[in-house]
Amino acid sequence: MGKLDGKVALITGAGSGMGRSMAVLFAHEGAKVVAGEWNAESLAAVVDEIKAAGGEVTGVQGNVAVQAEAEGLVDRAMAAYGRLDILVNNAGVMDLNQGIGELSDAIWERVLGINLNGPMYITRRAVPHMVAQGGGAIVNIASVAGLSGATAGVAYTTSKHGLIGLTRSTAWIYAQKGIRCNAICPGGVETNIMASIDPTKMDPAGSARLQVFYNTMPGALKPIDIANLALYLVTDEARYINGQAIAADAGWMAT
Ligand SMILES: NC(=O)c1ccc[n+]([C@@H]2O[C@H](COP(=O)([O-])OP(=O)(O)OC[C@H]3O[C@@H](n4cnc5c(N)ncnc54)[C@H](O)[C@@H]3O)[C@@H](O)[C@H]2O)c1
């Protein structure tokens, strides 16, 4: 018997890194997974992997920064399975390590659009269904950049601080409706996240300043480390954990 038997889980950015690991693990634990991803190739690959292992999955291609496509993920989950128990807002992109003085409008809009507007659109669409069902569990993949100003540029840092705000507000306002909402704040994790930016465009001064803190990183995690924590947070074993921003960073935030 799986830990998520009978549950329906929507995971964004499911084609790579932590999202892929969570989609595979949640399906293995018996969840019906709705895998959201904007990259058609990686979406097809994770869908194939889950099906080959005997899991249940519906792949939905879309950009979480586009309101209709973000809301469409929830609509597809409801159409396919008639309920939504678990939402993981995971899709995200890096910035260019720019400080506020060097920030371009294009980077601000891209990073805030994907990392913060997307989770807002999807959570807003999902919560009424969860309230009607009597509850649900939401996990937002934030970052140590949601807890510190020393790990990324201003756009990424602001997006992840905002995502923790979305987490805490959702947790408090819907706690009595049976909805729990927590954030995971990973440190360095071995994924494909660096492919989300053009490394030749990184801001040199910002990168040099951030390197001071990167040099203190105790070690990198694997995507499965984050998937295991996310799994715990969406099960009833974590029923009293709500509104938290949990660092999963090998101790980096203890600095
Ligand atoms: N890797 C790290 O060190 C690290 C650390 C802290 C937080 N995070 C966060 O973890 C989350 C997952 O990232 P990852 O490290 O697994 O990276 P990844 O690039 O391996 O996976 C992210 C996935 O999201 C998809 N995606 C990106 N933008 C999208 C959009 N607009 N719509 C739909 N899909 C989109 C990508 O195509 C990719 O498949 C992100 O929110 C990231 O900010 C990563």
Side-chain angles (χ1 to χ4, degrees), residues 7-8 83-87 126-138 174-180:
K7 307 274 188 190
V8 177
R83 59 186 294 116
L84 182 60
D85 304 284
I86 295 163
L87 165 63
V127 156
H129 295 300
M130 291 181 171
V131 169
Q133 287 166 199
I138 302 168
Y174 298 96
Q176 291 164 318
K177 304 285 184 190
I179 295 176
R180 294 185 302 104

Side-chain angles (χ1 to χ4, degrees), residues 94 97 150-153 207 210-218 252:
M94 291 290 297
N97 289 348
T151 75
S207 298
L210 296 173
Q211 191 60 45
V212 175
F213 194 66
Y214 295 157
N215 290 340
T216 68
M217 190 168 79
W252 201 11

Side-chain angles (χ1 to χ4, degrees), residues 13 16 18 37-38 62-64 90 141-142 156 160 186-187 189 191-192:
S16 174
M18 301 175 217
E37 172 60 55
W38 68 355
N63 178 354
V64 299
N90 165 75
I141 305 300
Y156 189 85
K160 296 301 190 179
V189 187
T191 69
N192 297 312

Side-chain angles (χ1 to χ4, degrees), residues 4-240:
L4 301 180
D5 282 347
K7 307 274 188 190
V8 177
L10 168 58
I11 301 167
T12 67
S16 174
M18 301 175 217
R20 182 166 181 154
S21 193
M22 289 186 279
V24 170
L25 179 63
F26 286 17
H28 176 75
E29 290 293 344
K32 298 178 178 74
V33 171
V34 179
E37 172 60 55
W38 68 355
N39 180 308
E41 207 176 311
S42 67
L43 177 60
V46 70
V47 165
D48 287 350
E49 182 180 349
I50 291 171
K51 285 189 174 162
E56 173 62 40
V57 61
T58 297
V60 185
Q61 193 182 358
N63 178 354
V64 299
V66 175
Q67 183 173 350
E69 295 179 28
E71 293 172 350
L73 293 169
V74 176
D75 297 348
R76 283 289 299 278
M78 294 303 296
Y81 301 118
R83 59 186 294 116
L84 182 60
D85 304 284
I86 295 163
L87 165 63
V88 184
N89 285 305
N90 165 75
V93 291
M94 291 290 297
D95 68 7
L96 295 176
N97 289 348
Q98 295 156 328
I100 185 65
E102 291 70 45
L103 176 68
S104 68
D105 289 349
I107 281 293
W108 180 263
E109 280 157 23
R110 172 178 159 84
V111 174
L112 271 289
I114 295 173
N115 294 9
L116 189 55
N117 289 353
M120 179 276 288
Y121 295 139
I122 297 167
T123 308
R124 184 171 63 185
R125 194 73 155 195
V127 156
H129 295 300
M130 291 181 171
V131 169
Q133 287 166 199
I138 302 168
V139 173
N140 293 322
I141 305 300
S143 168
V144 288
L147 304 170
S148 163
T151 75
V154 66
Y156 189 85
T157 300
T158 303
S159 74
K160 296 301 190 179
H161 274 72
L163 188 55
I164 292 175
L166 176 66
T167 302
R168 291 187 171 134
S169 170
T170 305
W172 178 256
I173 292 184
Y174 298 96
Q176 291 164 318
K177 304 285 184 190
I179 295 176
R180 294 185 302 104
C181 184
N182 292 290
I184 297 176
C185 300
V189 187
E190 292 168 5
T191 69
N192 297 312
I193 190 90
M194 293 310 287
S196 67
I197 43 109
D198 177 351
T200 65
K201 297 205 170 127
M202 295 297 262
D203 184 75
S207 298
R209 181 69 184 133
L210 296 173
Q211 191 60 45
V212 175
F213 194 66
Y214 295 157
N215 290 340
T216 68
M217 190 168 79
L221 287 78
K222 304 276 188 206
I224 188 66
D225 298 320
I226 303 302
N228 281 328
L229 176 55
L231 174 63
Y232 170 68
L233 287 173
V234 302
T235 64
D236 287 345
E237 290 172 1
R239 65 191 179 279
Y240 291 118

